[in-house]
Amino acid sequence: MEGAWIIFVMISIMILSVQGQLKTGFYSSSCPKAEAIVRSTVESYFKRDPTIAAGLLRLHFHDCFVQGCDGSVLITGPSAERNALPNLGLRGFEVIEDAKSQLESSCPGVVSCADILALAARDSVDLSNGPSWSVPTGRRDGRVSLSSQASNLPSPLDSITTQKQKFAAKGLDDHDLVTLVGAHTIGQTHCQFIRYRLYNFTTTGNSDPTINQSFLLQLQTLCPKDGDGTKPVALDKDSQTDFDVSFFKNVRDGNGVLESDQRLWDDADTRDVVQKYAGNIRGLLGLRFNFNFPKAMIKMSSIEVKTGTDGEIRKVCSKIN
Ligand code: HEM
Ligand SMILES: *[C@@H]1O[C@H](CO)[C@@H](O)[C@H](O)[C@H]1NC(C)=O
Ligand SMILES: *[C@@H]1O[C@H](CO)[C@@H](O)[C@H](O)[C@H]1NC(C)=O
């Protein structure tokens, strides 16, 4: 039953997958092994450290929201995107660079860093027991990377209105917002980004009243008032490396970790979507998220892409040619 569903989902997605000028299998004749090389690279890092999957998924999101999905997040240099505050915690750059150097030996100058990011994000979700999908490819790498433009990225302090606006500015609706933030079913944050919720959230110096009381005690134990701010905290308290629907159950139960995650429950539209994904008919609703997440990812992966003769194919992902 589940197998049949997955096949159905994959076929529907293949049909839907021609997005703009991207197409699935863009490299099938120019570099037939491209997708397999990315996959085996992600797999080898994942075997050593399964949490790398979350890093790679987030990397692609941060790439797409600034200058479009064009690999601009990978560029190094004093004024590059990578140095902007919201990007300081990004990880997985070495995986992309490793895949790139293998691709350069197999098919020099053919596969863009932007496409490697999109493929690695897909493979990361798949390896974390999430859904898989065909990734439309053919992105070209950008030549601009400016830390000043990173203000497009959402902040964990953003209200639900601001979150909606920032996604709408990229052509993503409220449903896409909730679906994509479901990515927080894997990965981690750090005490420094949530401590204010635990001790000094309100003007009277109390914790965020929307935090579930028993979870509040757990978080306070994990992140003491004057403790180490760099200590990691799972974004999904129940299953940090499993791509499942428990993130939505957490939001429903007041167990969201980031303030922005918990705010998805404040608003009637986003609450409705959280509710649907979190619902209690376990298997079926899990599949609903598994069906919608790939669709939303394909949409996000198409933001302001450069194709055809725009941009370039970088030789090294951290440097403009
Ligand atoms: C309103 C939107 C969003 C906000 C405010 C937000 C914010 C954050 C923050 C603050 C962290 C923790 C960073 C750290 O402690 O170093 C994080 C981690 C993460 N985010 Fe988001 N995010 C949003 C949407 C998304 C989307 C759309 C995706 C992907 C589709 C995503 C994927 C991830 C992943 C996988 C992690 C864990 C990274 C790791 O373990 O290294 N996020 N996010
Ligand atoms: C709590 O936050 C306020 C500002 O929001 C700040 O003035 C005050 O010093 C903080 N108190 C503690 C104990 O950190
Ligand atoms: C608090 O979280 C637990 C699960 O950890 C849940 O069973 C309970 O319903 C939550 N309480 C509220 C008020 O949502």
Side-chain angles (χ1 to χ4, degrees):
M1 177 62 190
E2 209 169 279
W5 255 102
I6 290 164
I7 290 163
F8 167 69
V9 167
M10 299 202 12
I11 291 170
S12 329
I13 288 160
M14 281 182 238
I15 295 166
L16 290 168
S17 69
V18 184
Q19 284 274 321
Q21 305 189 42
L22 303 176
K23 58 173 195 176
T24 56
F26 181 82
Y27 298 111
S28 58
S29 54
S30 58
C31 188
K33 283 199 228 149
E35 298 204 15
I37 290 173
V38 174
R39 171 71 184 205
S40 68
T41 309
V42 174
E43 236 176 84
S44 73
Y45 284 83
F46 180 85
K47 275 189 192 134
R48 274 176 270 162
D49 172 16
T51 77
I52 199 66
L56 291 167
L57 178 55
R58 185 172 186 228
L59 209 46
H60 180 48
F61 161 54
H62 281 222
D63 184 32
C64 292
F65 263 59
V66 184
Q67 285 280 338
C69 314
D70 71 343
S72 52
V73 76
L74 304 171
I75 298 294
T76 50
S79 59
E81 274 174 40
R82 216 163 138 170
N83 292 313
L85 202 61
N87 287 337
L88 296 182
L90 292 178
R91 57 203 185 105
F93 293 100
E94 70 286 3
V95 183
I96 305 300
E97 211 62 80
D98 187 342
K100 178 63 177 177
S101 71
Q102 294 175 56
L103 287 163
E104 284 303 292
S105 8
S106 297
C107 357
V110 173
V111 182
S112 68
C113 298
D115 276 342
I116 301 174
L117 282 168
L119 293 167
R122 182 269 312 273
D123 292 335
S124 293
V125 172
D126 186 29
L127 288 165
S128 307
N129 294 320
S132 192
W133 61 94
S134 302
V135 177
T137 43
R139 293 167 192 76
R140 310 256 305 167
D141 296 323
R143 294 195 180 97
V144 176
S145 176
L146 291 170
S147 60
S148 55
Q149 295 181 341
S151 54
N152 289 345
L153 286 164
S155 148
L157 306 171
D158 284 345
S159 68
I160 189 69
T161 311
T162 306
Q163 294 183 51
K164 286 179 174 186
Q165 280 165 355
K166 286 181 175 173
F167 276 67
K170 299 294 167 192
L172 299 166
D173 62 24
D174 299 351
H175 197 276
D176 298 322
L177 166 68
V178 179
T179 307
L180 290 167
V181 175
H184 291 169
T185 179
I186 55 172
Q188 62 196 34
T189 184
H190 301 88
C191 289
Q192 58 194 335
F193 300 119
I194 59 164
R195 197 143 44 191
Y196 71 100
R197 298 187 72 204
L198 311 181
Y199 300 102
N200 192 16
F201 184 78
T202 64
T203 47
T204 52
N206 290 322
S207 57
D208 181 340
T210 63
I211 306 177
N212 185 309
Q213 281 306 302
S214 55
F215 192 45
L216 176 63
L217 295 174
Q218 284 176 43
L219 288 176
Q220 287 176 333
T221 308
L222 199 64
C223 303
K225 208 169 188 165
D226 304 305
D228 179 7
T230 65
K231 201 163 157 190
V233 182
L235 287 170
D236 171 359
K237 72 179 183 65
D238 294 321
S239 51
Q240 185 184 346
T241 53
D242 223 21
F243 201 94
D244 57 14
V245 295
S246 58
F247 169 80
F248 298 107
K249 294 180 183 174
N250 291 338
V251 170
R252 176 196 64 196
D253 294 342
N255 294 326
V257 174
L258 298 176
E259 187 187 347
S260 53
D261 291 344
Q262 196 54 54
R263 296 289 86 90
L264 297 174
W265 193 251
D266 289 353
D267 170 88
D269 304 330
T270 55
R271 177 196 286 225
D272 188 55
V273 185
V274 171
Q275 184 100 278
K276 277 187 189 139
Y277 289 144
N280 33 29
I281 314 164
R282 276 178 70 206
L284 186 65
L285 289 155
L287 284 170
R288 190 203 295 264
F289 176 53
N290 278 356
F291 178 76
N292 288 329
F293 189 77
K295 285 203 295 184
M297 279 296 286
I298 289 168
K299 228 166 136 180
M300 185 184 89
S301 297
S302 312
I303 296 172
E304 299 156 29
V305 291
K306 299 169 178 69
T307 55
T309 53
D310 282 357
E312 63 184 22
I313 303 295
R314 269 179 228 151
K315 294 189 176 73
V316 171
C317 290
S318 60
K319 282 195 198 71
I320 289 158
N321 287 348

